[in-house]
Amino acid sequence: MRAVITVIGKDRIGIIAGVTALLAENQINILDISQTILQDFFTMVMIVDTKKCELKFEDLQTRLRVKGEEMDLSIRIQHEDIFNSMHNI
Amino acid sequence: MINYNYIMETISMIEKEKLDIRTITMGISLLDCISENGQICRNKIYDKVTKKAEKLVMTGEHIEKEYGIPIINKRISVTPISLIAQACEDTDYVKFAQVLDKAAIAVGVNFIGGFSSLVHKGYTKGDDILIKSIPKALSETERVCASVNVGSTKTGINMDAVRQMGKIISHTAKLTEKQDGIGCAKLVVFANAVEDNPFMAGAFHGIGEPDTVINVGVSGPGVVKVALESCKDEPFDVVSDTIKKTAFKITRMGQLVASEASKRLNVPFGIVDLSLAPTPAVGDSIARILEEMGLEACGAPGTTAALALLNDAVKKGGIMASSHVGGLSGAFIPVSEDEGMIHAVKIGALNIEKLEAMTCVCSVGLDMIAIPGKTSPETISAIIADEAAIGVINNKTTAVRIIPVFGKDVGDEVVFGGLLGNAPVMDINGFSSKSFIERGGRIPAPVHSMKN
């Protein structure tokens, strides 16, 4: 399935490296990525494909959250349909 | 393609503006549980409810995690018990409430609605027994909700039922007085009750419904409030458009969750209820939306107009976003469950008469209002009659959920806890309506109900 990962937090070195390494370890393919700094706040949005990921969605969610806590970031993964249904007719 | 702004908007709505799905409610028909033997009937009820709703809570939690959207409540509504129990020879239906409570606990839902009776034209044996069982049923169970429909536009108002419900509310409050009359928070008196309402305490599964059905209630007063902050000093055309767009987005999310839950549970999708339902949390209030439109406090002159605009715009925005809209669909104004309403009452801006006027233009009625325990049953009945008249004449649902609090008076505070919140005890007009209520009989249906 396609999911949206959002990473929000204070900017520092190695955020993208840290997050993408975890995704690669779990066979998650990044389809699209967009990142910006807003008033010192790092925000990144990624669209990923979790088809080959062997973890259950909930476990993946937990790993991302734990990774986020380690790096003092908020990392979230959600099914992309919630964004599609809310903003596209 | 990533639309960065859209994604951040959704996340902000959920994180900061308390957007959530208020409830996934599974409606379950109990018509096939009817038996001449009360115990057999109750066994069948328990088996059916626990089997059909076995995966409801788990499925709700999975959807919640996968989509990252909080689903606050998972609930069940059943066919009005007055219809199910009356074939048996029991003379008291408290045991039916107990079996519903047991089933609700077993499947992990926080409320089960349908200890209900429809008496807008008259009573059957089952209605009579059920209504008399309400006080004890609500004081001896935790999760069961009761409702009674006393009027409809097609039939007028059953004033005998109105008179009785004043006494039933008072008695329920008395039996639960140690918990500030909490039994009455689980009891709604309706006019024009709907068969597919997912919200408690008034949910029941109507007889025109399929065997099982999934109905979803959305929420999101905070999102509307934040959207309106961006149109300060703009004319009402802009205000209305902004609410419509926001309601559309909220409802689309409700539709997604409803269709996903329906698919995963293999239960037909019924409706999305477009209601804006507040909670006692700061930033999740209907009153604060009305104030955002320019009122110093909710209850100030202009409040009814503001609420009318809000209610209408929510419907217009939501209707296109869902394949089937139903339930109560509008803005709720429960006092104890809305931080802004509580504040407005405390500072003296909002009284029960203004709330009554507001119920003419919002989705339901006088909701979660604490009144002094000394209020007479006749006065409670007269309040119900007024609300029923508003519903019957205006062809809309109205309801009364008021809580007489024994041992407390105007200005005292009542704490129900959780989503039910806390409420200041409100002042009631002290002049008597006793002779009016003692008449009984039926107020005829209004002329504009004769549409055939």
Side-chain angles (χ1 to χ4, degrees):
Chain A
M1 96 182 184
R2 278 159 61 110
V4 174
I5 295 177
T6 45
V7 184
I8 304 171
K10 198 152 174 47
D11 193 20
R12 52 173 277 181
I13 293 167
I15 295 180
I16 299 183
V19 177
T20 51
L22 185 127
L23 297 181
E25 271 167 33
N26 291 292
Q27 297 293 306
I28 291 166
N29 192 23
I30 300 171
L31 305 173
D32 199 346
I33 185 163
S34 151
Q35 179 254 304
T36 183
I37 307 282
L38 267 178
Q39 294 158 349
D40 273 356
F41 264 85
F42 174 94
T43 55
M44 175 165 71
V45 176
M46 284 187 280
I47 299 199
V48 298
D49 185 349
T50 62
K51 205 163 48 199
K52 289 188 182 156
C53 175
E54 282 170 5
L55 286 177
K56 278 207 300 200
F57 191 77
E58 285 164 50
D59 297 334
L60 174 62
Q61 212 160 31
T62 311
R63 285 206 193 178
L64 283 165
R65 200 189 60 236
V66 170
K67 184 83 191 165
E69 280 160 10
E70 279 168 21
M71 299 171 77
D72 207 12
L73 297 163
S74 144
I75 307 183
R76 211 176 274 110
I77 180 163
Q78 289 159 275
H79 197 299
E80 76 163 348
D81 278 357
I82 185 163
F83 304 100
N84 289 338
S85 70
M86 196 181 254
H87 299 284
N88 298 323
I89 298 176
Chain B
M1 273 300 291
I2 292 185
N3 188 319
Y4 182 83
N5 291 336
Y6 286 165
I7 288 172
M8 295 320 283
E9 183 187 347
T10 300
I11 289 187
S12 172
M13 281 180 177
I14 295 169
E15 290 289 305
K16 292 190 199 147
E17 298 154 23
K18 300 191 170 59
L19 175 62
D20 55 53
I21 298 289
R22 183 49 47 83
T23 180
I24 296 183
T25 304
M26 179 184 273
I28 304 174
S29 168
L30 298 182
L31 289 171
D32 54 358
C33 300
I34 293 173
S35 165
E36 282 177 16
N37 180 305
Q39 191 52 48
I40 293 174
C41 181
R42 287 188 290 275
N43 290 346
K44 283 178 162 182
I45 290 174
Y46 183 83
D47 291 345
K48 183 158 187 189
V49 170
T50 49
K51 185 162 169 271
K52 292 286 181 187
E54 188 185 6
K55 293 183 177 155
L56 174 65
V57 172
M58 190 185 77
T59 306
E61 283 167 358
H62 279 157
I63 294 175
E64 194 170 351
K65 286 194 179 125
E66 204 166 296
Y67 292 92
I69 174 81
I71 301 171
I72 308 297
N73 299 301
K74 294 92 187 170
R75 292 168 168 175
I76 295 171
S77 65
V78 295
T79 317
I81 292 297
S82 65
L83 301 173
I84 305 305
Q86 61 182 295
C88 68
E89 286 172 359
D90 294 30
T91 52
D92 173 323
Y93 293 162
V94 175
K95 281 186 182 161
F96 283 88
Q98 285 163 340
V99 86
L100 291 176
D101 206 35
K102 206 172 118 198
I105 292 167
V107 296
V109 296
N110 59 358
F111 279 123
I112 183 164
F115 197 73
S116 305
S117 195
L118 311 174
V119 292
H120 36 282
K121 207 161 178 185
Y123 286 56
T124 60
K125 176 193 121 188
D127 296 321
D128 187 42
I129 301 173
L130 183 124
I131 293 175
K132 284 181 183 151
S133 307
I134 287 175
K136 198 153 178 263
L138 294 182
S139 65
E140 291 185 5
T141 58
E142 181 200 340
R143 306 187 186 196
V144 175
C145 292
S147 57
V148 176
N149 192 56
V150 298
S152 78
T153 301
K154 269 286 180 201
T155 62
I157 306 171
N158 182 346
M159 290 299 288
D160 292 327
V162 168
R163 182 177 53 203
Q164 189 182 10
M165 287 316 295
K167 292 179 188 154
I168 295 291
I169 289 174
S170 205
H171 190 193
T172 306
K174 191 74 193 166
L175 290 186
T176 52
E177 69 178 322
K178 282 187 186 145
Q179 299 130 286
D180 284 337
I182 196 153
C184 295
K186 298 179 286 177
L187 171 58
V188 186
V189 184
F190 275 116
N192 288 326
V194 293
E195 298 200 330
D196 54 6
N197 164 25
F199 285 102
M200 294 298 169
F204 63 87
H205 184 73
I207 52 166
E209 296 282 312
D211 189 58
T212 46
V213 72
I214 286 291
N215 296 323
V216 164
V218 297
S219 182
V223 182
V224 175
K225 159 89 166 55
V226 170
L228 288 186
E229 284 169 10
S230 67
C231 41
K232 269 211 162 23
D233 302 325
E234 298 278 1
F236 284 112
D237 319 58
V238 178
V239 172
S240 169
D241 263 355
T242 307
I243 298 172
K244 272 172 14 191
K245 284 176 192 156
T246 312
F248 177 83
K249 290 175 187 170
I250 295 173
T251 311
R252 289 279 285 186
M253 193 194 61
Q255 173 77 27
L256 171 72
V257 168
S259 51
E260 204 55 40
S262 148
K263 197 165 72 191
R264 293 182 192 193
L265 289 161
N266 197 22
V267 167
F269 159 64
I271 54 98
V272 173
D273 187 316
L274 307 178
S275 293
L276 282 187
T279 69
V282 172
D284 208 12
S285 153
I286 299 289
R288 299 298 185 195
I289 299 175
L290 306 179
E291 290 168 3
E292 188 59 43
M293 288 190 213
L295 300 165
E296 185 184 353
C298 178
T303 300
T304 310
L307 183 58
L309 178 149
L310 172 67
N311 203 51
D312 183 59
V314 165
K315 285 181 202 163
K316 286 174 178 162
I319 279 170
M320 189 181 149
S322 172
S323 52
H324 296 282
V325 170
L328 299 167
S329 286
F332 290 163
I333 52 168
V335 174
S336 79
E337 298 172 0
D338 185 311
E339 166 273 323
M341 295 276 174
I342 298 168
H343 176 74
V345 172
K346 281 186 183 163
I347 61 171
L350 183 60
N351 58 31
I352 199 156
E353 283 75 19
K354 189 64 181 175
L355 279 163
E356 182 182 323
M358 290 162 74
T359 65
C360 301
V361 299
C362 77
S363 75
V364 197
L366 291 174
D367 196 12
M368 290 303 287
I369 294 170
I371 58 172
K374 64 180 185 203
T375 311
S376 73
E378 292 82 11
T379 296
I380 295 172
S381 292
I383 293 170
I384 295 170
D386 284 342
E387 268 309 303
I390 289 170
V392 166
I393 297 295
N394 293 305
N395 212 356
K396 72 185 284 294
T397 306
T398 47
V400 173
R401 181 163 56 146
I402 49 178
I403 301 125
V405 189
F406 284 92
K408 293 203 172 168
D409 214 329
V410 179
D412 291 340
E413 181 99 5
V414 188
V415 180
F416 301 117
L419 274 182
L420 296 172
N422 57 300
V425 175
M426 293 182 77
D427 197 11
I428 298 284
N429 185 320
F431 290 92
S432 172
S433 319
K434 195 163 182 285
S435 304
F436 177 78
I437 290 303
E438 276 172 357
R439 285 177 188 271
R442 282 159 53 203
I443 294 180
V447 64
H448 58 257
S449 71
M450 313 299 163
K451 283 184 177 165
N452 288 346

